[in-house]
Structure formats: C-alpha cells, structure tokens
Amino acid sequence: MSMLEERLREIGQDHIADLVKIGSPLISLKRLEQDLQEIDSKTLVDLIKGKGMFTPPKGEIEPPEVIPAAFAVTQDARVSRDRGETLITQGKVAVVMVAGGQGSRLGLGGPKGELEISPVKKKSLFQLHSEKILALERRYNVEIPFLIMTSRANDTETRRFFEYNAFFGLDRDNVHFFVQGMIPSITKEGKLVISRDGGLFMNPDGHGGTLDALAKSGLLKMIGDRGVDLVFYFQVDNPLIKMCDPLFIGLHAEKGAQMSSKVVEKRGFDEKVGVIAKVDGRTRVIEYSDLGEEYMYLEDIDGRPVYRAGSIAIHVLDRKFIEDIVLKQTNLPYHKAIKSIPTIDQDGRPVEIMGIKFEKFIFDALPFAERSLTLEVKREEEFAPVKNKTGEDSVESAIILQNRLFRSWLERAGSMVEDDVKVEISPLFALDVEDLLSRASEVPSRISQDLYIE
Ligand code: UTP
C-alpha cells in the first residue's frame, strides 16, 4: 500500500484511497499529495469529526466599553494621536492587508484588489492602499513594512499586478506577500471531496488564517527583528480605510491593549453585522446570527440599540500577542458553512454537491486578549466595503461614498463643488481632511467638472 493510500485509509477516506489504489484517472497523485501536505492529520481528523468548531459564546453578555467617535475631536485625543504618530515614526508599526478571499459574491476571477474603485481616476484598491502607505512613509519619514496575504488561487496574479505597476511607488523591498493556508471541504457525511483537478476540493482558511500564515512565512519574525511592535490589520475591500490611523494606534498603546477594534454604529437593530460585546468579561465579536433577540433589540435610554458597535474588521494587534497565539497553538475555531461545491461524479463528469466549507475568522482572536480597546468611528469616513455586484456594498456604492467624502473635505477647504461632479483626491496630495486644509490654497474655489487632485 502506498503511503498516500495508507494515510487516506487512516483518516477514513477509503473512497479516495480506492481510487488511488486502482490508479484512477480521476485522481492526480501530485495534487492530492500537495493538498494533503497543507494540513496535519490531527486537524483533518478534527474537521471530519466536527471538533474544534466554533460554538456561540454561552457566558454572560454585557455591553462593551466603546470610545465614542466624538472623542476624536477632544484635547485628549490629540495626546493619543501624538503617541500613535510617534510609534509610526519610530518604525514600530507594520501593515497587514488580507487579500486572500475568493470574492465569490462578486463573481471575480482574479484578486479583488485589482477592482477599479476610485471615483475619477479609477484606481485599483491595491493602488489606493499602496499610495496611502507611501503618503504615510513620506509624512513620517519612515519605512512601513507592507505585508499582503494572498491565497493559492490569487498569489501569482497579485504579485504580477504589483510588479507590473512598479509597486505603485513603494520600495519593493518593503512589500511582502505571504500565502494563507488552505482547508479541505467535506461532505455532510464527513468525506473529503475530489476536486476537478484531481486533488481535494479546498478553500482558503479564512482571514483567521492570517496569524498562522504570518508565522509560517517567517514575516512575523522579520518584523520583530526590524523592531515592529504593532500590526495594523485591514481587509483589501475597503477603499476608505484610514491607514495606520494614529489615534487608533495611540489609544491601543496607551491602554496596553493586545488587540483593538474599530466599530461603527449599527444602522438599526436589524443590520446584519457582527457586534462587539463583552462575554464573561472578555471583549469579542458576536455574529448577527448568534446575538439573541433579547440583546439585538435591547434599547438604551435614547432608544438606540445597546449592542450597536458594528465590527468593521479593522484591528491593531500587538506582535507579541500574535506570537503568543501561534506559539501556544491556540487554534482559532472553524466556522462551518453549507455551500455548493464543484466536484466530479464517479464517471468524471462535473457536478455540484452541497457540502461543508470551513473558515477561521480573525475576530475570534479577540477573547484571547486580556486587554482590548474598541474605538467607534464614523461610517461615512472610514468604511465602504465592496462585497456585492450591485446595490449595497458594491463597487458603485463605494464610489459614491468616496466621492461624498472627498466632496465634504473640499467644501471644508472652502471649495464650491457643483452637483453631479465627481471629485477625487490622491492620498499623495492629502491623506485626510487636515492635510487638505493645510493645502487649501492649492484647491480650486469652484469645481464644475470631474476633478482629480494630485
Ligand atoms: P470576505 O469574508 O468578505 O470574503 O472577506 P471575500 O473573499 O472578500 O468575498 P466572498 O465572501 O467570497 O464573496 C473579507 C476580507 O478577508 C479576506 C478577503 O480577501 C477580504 O479582504 N479573506 C477572506 C482572506 O484574506 N482570506 C480568506 O480566506 C477569506
């Protein structure tokens, strides 16, 4: 019996072992071996047996402590912001962008980061994010390591895109790609599924895979060697990201937090978004589907949802906290989803079956933090996710939101922007409204046609 066949039998996958034994053309030994190498036997058996799965928290749920968005304009905020700026200037901060997802709701073939998203110049998400980092490097006269998580399906294309675009002006030595892990799907009966290329059907292991992938790639050590203490984490699909927000970083450091989160106020009781709450004294995200109605519809004295701190997947994590999680092999739980899985039938014909896909979520690291900070920000200033083809959270809505924000900055700088005109400000001209106000004299007093300011 070959080693491959033996391993498959050991983990109860005789249906594939039999195909290996007879040398079935439905199987590619190379692919199968490569796929099985991705995952250790214990994790695989756990998955099949349903161990290590996420279970909704059962403890006492309490509202979280949240720093309100209004704090940003106070005198105290200035002190925290200064602290954040100092940390950035000292090279203590690295950026991690996760871009390994499949963008299935958008039906994308390639990386989401290539989507043309800015209102006038149609810059890609990758370009916008890179230019924000470049602008910060110039502002603080520092090099900021930019770590980009990809996955098997989009790694080559992502690297090619950056190469082709000369890293959007960044020093290529500061841009590091790392590939996240893959995880096999199973049937409802706990059987691995053969993919159409003769291996196993697998998907990227979720943004919760970031921590392991950072360690495995050696990049966690690399940033440690460079003196980085903090990681600014964000997701590729938000063009309004306030990159390395100094206020957020400063507050995190002042509190001695290990993992911090940004939130926006939920639009209403029913908005389908995970909320930050405290469970048994630890801060965590409770997904919409896990928040019982008694909490979801709980009102405060102003009639607003008590649990209104909607998570927007922007975090600061201590490098040491990540190291701890990885070293102690604190496995983040897997979340299950029943999804359609492309496979082949016994005659090799393509078919779709309903099976179980697994994913880990980054926010499941939160309850491991002894200290955590939650900062509320204004949705219209910092959050325009691109998830769907049309309507809410689409390219179209993200363009409208960016345009609206730039327009508001220009109006504050004294410019009159005519209706139906699109405006865009390069991050290299002004990263935020304060930057723009300091350059107000360079801005036209009246804007009557689409304008890109660089
Ligand atoms: P989403 O969960 O919205 O997934 O990821 P997605 O791939 O963008 O879109 P759908 O759900 O397939 O339609 C949020 C962020 O997390 C990243 C994505 O690239 C996106 O930036 N992500 C998600 C990963 O990096 N790896 C994963 O395995 C999943």
Short mmCIF file of all heavy atoms in Angstrom, two decimals, residues 97-107 112 149-151 154 180-181 203-210 233-238 313 339 359-361 386-388, ligand 1:
data_model
loop_
_atom_site.label_atom_id
_atom_site.label_comp_id
_atom_site.label_asym_id
_atom_site.label_seq_id
_atom_site.Cartn_x
_atom_site.Cartn_y
_atom_site.Cartn_z
N MET A 97 -2.39 43.53 5.19
CA MET A 97 -3.63 43.61 4.41
C MET A 97 -4.02 42.19 4.01
O MET A 97 -3.21 41.47 3.44
CB MET A 97 -3.39 44.45 3.16
CG MET A 97 -4.56 44.43 2.18
SD MET A 97 -4.34 45.59 0.83
CE MET A 97 -3.24 44.65 -0.25
N VAL A 98 -5.26 41.80 4.29
CA VAL A 98 -5.67 40.46 3.87
C VAL A 98 -6.41 40.53 2.55
O VAL A 98 -7.36 41.29 2.39
CB VAL A 98 -6.48 39.72 4.95
CG1 VAL A 98 -5.63 39.45 6.17
CG2 VAL A 98 -7.74 40.46 5.36
N ALA A 99 -5.91 39.75 1.61
CA ALA A 99 -6.46 39.78 0.25
C ALA A 99 -6.48 38.37 -0.34
O ALA A 99 -6.24 38.17 -1.51
CB ALA A 99 -5.60 40.71 -0.62
N GLY A 100 -6.75 37.41 0.53
CA GLY A 100 -6.72 36.01 0.07
C GLY A 100 -8.10 35.48 -0.27
O GLY A 100 -8.23 34.35 -0.74
N GLY A 101 -9.12 36.27 -0.05
CA GLY A 101 -10.50 35.79 -0.26
C GLY A 101 -10.81 35.54 -1.72
O GLY A 101 -10.05 35.93 -2.62
N GLN A 102 -11.94 34.88 -1.94
CA GLN A 102 -12.27 34.48 -3.31
C GLN A 102 -13.22 35.46 -4.00
O GLN A 102 -13.49 35.33 -5.18
CB GLN A 102 -12.89 33.09 -3.28
CG GLN A 102 -11.89 32.06 -2.76
CD GLN A 102 -12.56 30.74 -2.39
OE1 GLN A 102 -13.48 30.70 -1.60
NE2 GLN A 102 -12.08 29.66 -2.97
N GLY A 103 -13.73 36.40 -3.22
CA GLY A 103 -14.65 37.37 -3.81
C GLY A 103 -15.81 36.70 -4.52
O GLY A 103 -16.24 37.13 -5.59
N SER A 104 -16.33 35.63 -3.91
CA SER A 104 -17.33 34.84 -4.64
C SER A 104 -18.62 35.61 -4.89
O SER A 104 -19.24 35.46 -5.93
CB SER A 104 -17.60 33.51 -3.94
OG SER A 104 -17.60 33.67 -2.55
N ARG A 105 -19.01 36.49 -3.95
CA ARG A 105 -20.25 37.24 -4.17
C ARG A 105 -20.11 38.17 -5.37
O ARG A 105 -21.07 38.47 -6.06
CB ARG A 105 -20.59 38.06 -2.92
CG ARG A 105 -21.28 37.24 -1.86
CD ARG A 105 -21.35 37.98 -0.56
NE ARG A 105 -20.07 38.00 0.14
CZ ARG A 105 -19.84 38.63 1.28
NH1 ARG A 105 -20.81 39.33 1.84
NH2 ARG A 105 -18.66 38.58 1.86
N LEU A 106 -18.88 38.62 -5.63
CA LEU A 106 -18.67 39.49 -6.79
C LEU A 106 -18.47 38.68 -8.06
O LEU A 106 -18.46 39.23 -9.16
CB LEU A 106 -17.42 40.34 -6.56
CG LEU A 106 -17.58 41.56 -5.65
CD1 LEU A 106 -16.21 42.10 -5.29
CD2 LEU A 106 -18.39 42.64 -6.34
N GLY A 107 -18.28 37.38 -7.89
CA GLY A 107 -18.05 36.52 -9.05
C GLY A 107 -16.76 36.87 -9.76
O GLY A 107 -16.68 36.88 -10.99
N LYS A 112 -9.50 40.64 -5.73
CA LYS A 112 -10.42 41.77 -5.50
C LYS A 112 -9.67 43.11 -5.55
O LYS A 112 -10.21 44.12 -5.94
CB LYS A 112 -11.04 41.61 -4.11
CG LYS A 112 -12.51 41.84 -4.02
CD LYS A 112 -12.93 41.74 -2.55
CE LYS A 112 -14.38 41.38 -2.42
NZ LYS A 112 -14.84 41.36 -1.01
N MET A 149 -1.51 39.42 2.49
CA MET A 149 -1.87 38.00 2.49
C MET A 149 -2.67 37.65 1.24
O MET A 149 -3.68 38.28 0.94
CB MET A 149 -2.67 37.61 3.73
CG MET A 149 -2.91 36.11 3.77
SD MET A 149 -3.47 35.51 5.36
CE MET A 149 -5.23 35.78 5.21
N THR A 150 -2.17 36.65 0.53
CA THR A 150 -2.85 36.17 -0.68
C THR A 150 -3.25 34.72 -0.41
O THR A 150 -3.03 34.20 0.68
CB THR A 150 -1.88 36.19 -1.87
OG1 THR A 150 -0.80 35.30 -1.56
CG2 THR A 150 -1.34 37.57 -2.15
N SER A 151 -3.82 34.08 -1.43
CA SER A 151 -4.08 32.64 -1.28
C SER A 151 -3.64 31.96 -2.58
O SER A 151 -3.31 32.62 -3.56
CB SER A 151 -5.54 32.38 -0.97
OG SER A 151 -6.34 32.94 -1.96
N ASN A 154 -4.82 33.30 -5.94
CA ASN A 154 -4.56 34.66 -6.47
C ASN A 154 -3.16 35.19 -6.17
O ASN A 154 -2.86 36.34 -6.48
CB ASN A 154 -5.64 35.64 -5.97
CG ASN A 154 -5.55 35.90 -4.46
OD1 ASN A 154 -4.53 35.67 -3.84
ND2 ASN A 154 -6.64 36.38 -3.89
N GLN A 180 -1.80 32.33 2.45
CA GLN A 180 -2.51 31.71 3.57
C GLN A 180 -2.72 30.22 3.33
O GLN A 180 -2.54 29.73 2.21
CB GLN A 180 -3.86 32.41 3.80
CG GLN A 180 -4.90 32.16 2.75
CD GLN A 180 -6.22 32.83 3.10
OE1 GLN A 180 -6.61 33.81 2.46
NE2 GLN A 180 -6.91 32.32 4.09
N GLY A 181 -3.12 29.52 4.39
CA GLY A 181 -3.34 28.08 4.28
C GLY A 181 -4.64 27.76 3.57
O GLY A 181 -5.51 28.61 3.40
N ASN A 203 -10.52 25.34 0.17
CA ASN A 203 -10.68 26.79 0.07
C ASN A 203 -9.71 27.46 1.04
O ASN A 203 -9.23 26.81 1.98
CB ASN A 203 -12.14 27.22 0.33
CG ASN A 203 -12.63 26.76 1.68
OD1 ASN A 203 -13.06 25.62 1.83
ND2 ASN A 203 -12.55 27.62 2.68
N PRO A 204 -9.42 28.76 0.84
CA PRO A 204 -8.54 29.45 1.78
C PRO A 204 -9.14 29.38 3.19
O PRO A 204 -10.37 29.37 3.34
CB PRO A 204 -8.52 30.89 1.27
CG PRO A 204 -9.01 30.83 -0.14
CD PRO A 204 -9.91 29.65 -0.23
N ASP A 205 -8.28 29.33 4.20
CA ASP A 205 -8.78 29.01 5.56
C ASP A 205 -9.36 30.21 6.32
O ASP A 205 -9.46 30.18 7.54
CB ASP A 205 -7.70 28.30 6.39
CG ASP A 205 -6.45 29.14 6.59
OD1 ASP A 205 -6.39 30.25 6.04
OD2 ASP A 205 -5.54 28.69 7.30
N GLY A 206 -9.75 31.26 5.59
CA GLY A 206 -10.41 32.40 6.23
C GLY A 206 -9.41 33.43 6.71
O GLY A 206 -8.21 33.14 6.83
N HIS A 207 -9.90 34.65 7.00
CA HIS A 207 -8.93 35.68 7.44
C HIS A 207 -8.34 35.36 8.81
O HIS A 207 -7.30 35.89 9.18
CB HIS A 207 -9.51 37.10 7.37
CG HIS A 207 -10.94 37.25 7.78
ND1 HIS A 207 -11.34 37.04 9.06
CD2 HIS A 207 -12.05 37.59 7.08
CE1 HIS A 207 -12.65 37.25 9.14
NE2 HIS A 207 -13.11 37.57 7.94
N GLY A 208 -8.99 34.42 9.53
CA GLY A 208 -8.39 33.95 10.78
C GLY A 208 -7.10 33.19 10.54
O GLY A 208 -6.30 32.98 11.46
N GLY A 209 -6.87 32.78 9.29
CA GLY A 209 -5.63 32.08 8.95
C GLY A 209 -4.43 33.02 8.91
O GLY A 209 -3.28 32.59 8.80
N THR A 210 -4.69 34.32 9.01
CA THR A 210 -3.61 35.32 8.91
C THR A 210 -2.50 35.07 9.93
O THR A 210 -1.32 35.15 9.61
CB THR A 210 -4.18 36.75 9.16
OG1 THR A 210 -5.32 36.94 8.34
CG2 THR A 210 -3.15 37.81 8.86
N TYR A 233 -4.08 45.91 10.98
CA TYR A 233 -4.72 44.89 10.14
C TYR A 233 -5.95 45.48 9.44
O TYR A 233 -6.79 46.11 10.09
CB TYR A 233 -5.16 43.72 11.04
CG TYR A 233 -6.12 42.75 10.39
CD1 TYR A 233 -5.67 41.54 9.86
CD2 TYR A 233 -7.49 43.03 10.30
CE1 TYR A 233 -6.56 40.66 9.26
CE2 TYR A 233 -8.37 42.16 9.70
CZ TYR A 233 -7.90 40.97 9.18
OH TYR A 233 -8.78 40.10 8.58
N PHE A 234 -6.05 45.26 8.14
CA PHE A 234 -7.29 45.66 7.45
C PHE A 234 -7.54 44.73 6.27
O PHE A 234 -6.68 43.95 5.87
CB PHE A 234 -7.24 47.13 7.02
CG PHE A 234 -6.41 47.38 5.78
CD1 PHE A 234 -7.02 47.62 4.56
CD2 PHE A 234 -5.03 47.36 5.83
CE1 PHE A 234 -6.25 47.85 3.41
CE2 PHE A 234 -4.26 47.58 4.69
CZ PHE A 234 -4.88 47.83 3.48
N GLN A 235 -8.74 44.85 5.69
CA GLN A 235 -9.14 43.97 4.59
C GLN A 235 -9.13 44.75 3.28
O GLN A 235 -9.51 45.92 3.24
CB GLN A 235 -10.53 43.41 4.88
CG GLN A 235 -10.55 42.75 6.26
CD GLN A 235 -11.80 41.95 6.56
OE1 GLN A 235 -12.87 42.28 6.10
NE2 GLN A 235 -11.66 40.92 7.36
N VAL A 236 -8.70 44.08 2.24
CA VAL A 236 -8.44 44.75 0.97
C VAL A 236 -9.66 45.49 0.41
O VAL A 236 -9.53 46.45 -0.35
CB VAL A 236 -7.90 43.74 -0.07
CG1 VAL A 236 -8.97 42.74 -0.49
CG2 VAL A 236 -7.32 44.42 -1.30
N ASP A 237 -10.87 45.06 0.82
CA ASP A 237 -12.05 45.57 0.09
C ASP A 237 -12.68 46.83 0.67
O ASP A 237 -13.84 47.11 0.41
CB ASP A 237 -13.10 44.45 -0.05
CG ASP A 237 -13.45 43.79 1.27
OD1 ASP A 237 -13.11 44.34 2.33
OD2 ASP A 237 -14.09 42.73 1.24
N ASN A 238 -11.91 47.62 1.41
CA ASN A 238 -12.44 48.87 1.96
C ASN A 238 -11.61 50.07 1.50
O ASN A 238 -10.59 50.40 2.09
CB ASN A 238 -12.43 48.79 3.50
CG ASN A 238 -12.90 50.08 4.14
OD1 ASN A 238 -13.52 50.93 3.48
ND2 ASN A 238 -12.61 50.24 5.42
N ALA A 313 -13.90 45.13 10.93
CA ALA A 313 -12.71 44.34 10.55
C ALA A 313 -11.45 45.17 10.40
O ALA A 313 -10.67 44.97 9.47
CB ALA A 313 -13.00 43.56 9.28
N LYS A 339 -22.27 25.00 1.64
CA LYS A 339 -22.17 25.69 0.35
C LYS A 339 -22.13 24.69 -0.78
O LYS A 339 -21.83 23.51 -0.58
CB LYS A 339 -20.88 26.53 0.31
CG LYS A 339 -20.86 27.65 1.30
CD LYS A 339 -20.26 28.91 0.72
CE LYS A 339 -20.50 30.08 1.64
NZ LYS A 339 -19.38 30.92 1.84
N GLU A 359 -13.95 27.90 7.70
CA GLU A 359 -13.20 29.15 7.67
C GLU A 359 -12.92 29.62 9.09
O GLU A 359 -13.75 29.43 9.98
CB GLU A 359 -14.06 30.24 7.01
CG GLU A 359 -13.58 30.64 5.64
CD GLU A 359 -14.35 31.86 5.11
OE1 GLU A 359 -15.58 31.91 5.26
OE2 GLU A 359 -13.69 32.75 4.58
N LYS A 360 -11.77 30.26 9.28
CA LYS A 360 -11.47 30.87 10.59
C LYS A 360 -11.61 32.39 10.45
O LYS A 360 -11.35 32.94 9.37
CB LYS A 360 -10.03 30.54 11.01
CG LYS A 360 -9.84 29.06 11.29
CD LYS A 360 -8.54 28.81 12.01
CE LYS A 360 -7.40 28.61 11.05
NZ LYS A 360 -6.19 28.08 11.68
N PHE A 361 -12.01 33.04 11.53
CA PHE A 361 -12.21 34.49 11.49
C PHE A 361 -11.22 35.18 12.42
O PHE A 361 -11.04 34.76 13.57
CB PHE A 361 -13.64 34.84 11.91
CG PHE A 361 -14.70 34.31 10.97
CD1 PHE A 361 -16.00 34.08 11.42
CD2 PHE A 361 -14.43 34.04 9.63
CE1 PHE A 361 -16.99 33.60 10.57
CE2 PHE A 361 -15.40 33.56 8.77
CZ PHE A 361 -16.69 33.33 9.24
N VAL A 386 -16.61 46.51 -0.29
CA VAL A 386 -17.05 46.07 -1.62
C VAL A 386 -17.28 44.57 -1.55
O VAL A 386 -16.32 43.79 -1.47
CB VAL A 386 -15.97 46.38 -2.68
CG1 VAL A 386 -16.47 46.01 -4.07
CG2 VAL A 386 -15.58 47.85 -2.64
N LYS A 387 -18.53 44.17 -1.52
CA LYS A 387 -18.86 42.75 -1.37
C LYS A 387 -19.72 42.23 -2.52
O LYS A 387 -19.56 41.10 -2.96
CB LYS A 387 -19.65 42.51 -0.07
CG LYS A 387 -18.98 42.99 1.20
CD LYS A 387 -17.84 42.10 1.62
CE LYS A 387 -17.23 42.57 2.93
NZ LYS A 387 -15.96 41.91 3.21
N ASN A 388 -20.69 43.07 -2.95
CA ASN A 388 -21.72 42.59 -3.88
C ASN A 388 -21.58 43.22 -5.26
O ASN A 388 -20.98 44.28 -5.41
CB ASN A 388 -23.11 42.92 -3.32
CG ASN A 388 -23.25 42.40 -1.89
OD1 ASN A 388 -22.84 41.28 -1.60
ND2 ASN A 388 -23.80 43.23 -1.00
P1 UTP B 1 -14.97 38.18 2.93
O1 UTP B 1 -15.39 37.27 4.00
O2 UTP B 1 -15.84 39.34 2.62
O3 UTP B 1 -14.69 37.29 1.65
O4 UTP B 1 -13.52 38.66 3.26
P2 UTP B 1 -14.37 37.71 0.17
O5 UTP B 1 -13.46 36.70 -0.41
O6 UTP B 1 -13.86 39.11 0.06
O7 UTP B 1 -15.79 37.63 -0.53
P3 UTP B 1 -16.85 36.42 -0.61
O8 UTP B 1 -17.34 36.17 0.79
O9 UTP B 1 -16.15 35.24 -1.21
O10 UTP B 1 -17.90 36.99 -1.51
C1 UTP B 1 -13.19 39.82 3.91
C2 UTP B 1 -11.71 40.07 3.69
O11 UTP B 1 -10.95 38.97 4.16
C3 UTP B 1 -10.11 38.46 3.14
C4 UTP B 1 -10.72 38.91 1.84
O12 UTP B 1 -9.75 38.98 0.84
C5 UTP B 1 -11.30 40.25 2.23
O13 UTP B 1 -10.29 41.24 2.23
N1 UTP B 1 -10.05 36.99 3.23
C6 UTP B 1 -11.20 36.27 3.36
C7 UTP B 1 -8.84 36.38 3.18
O14 UTP B 1 -7.79 37.03 3.06
N2 UTP B 1 -8.80 35.03 3.24
C8 UTP B 1 -9.91 34.27 3.36
O15 UTP B 1 -9.80 33.03 3.42
C9 UTP B 1 -11.14 34.92 3.43
#
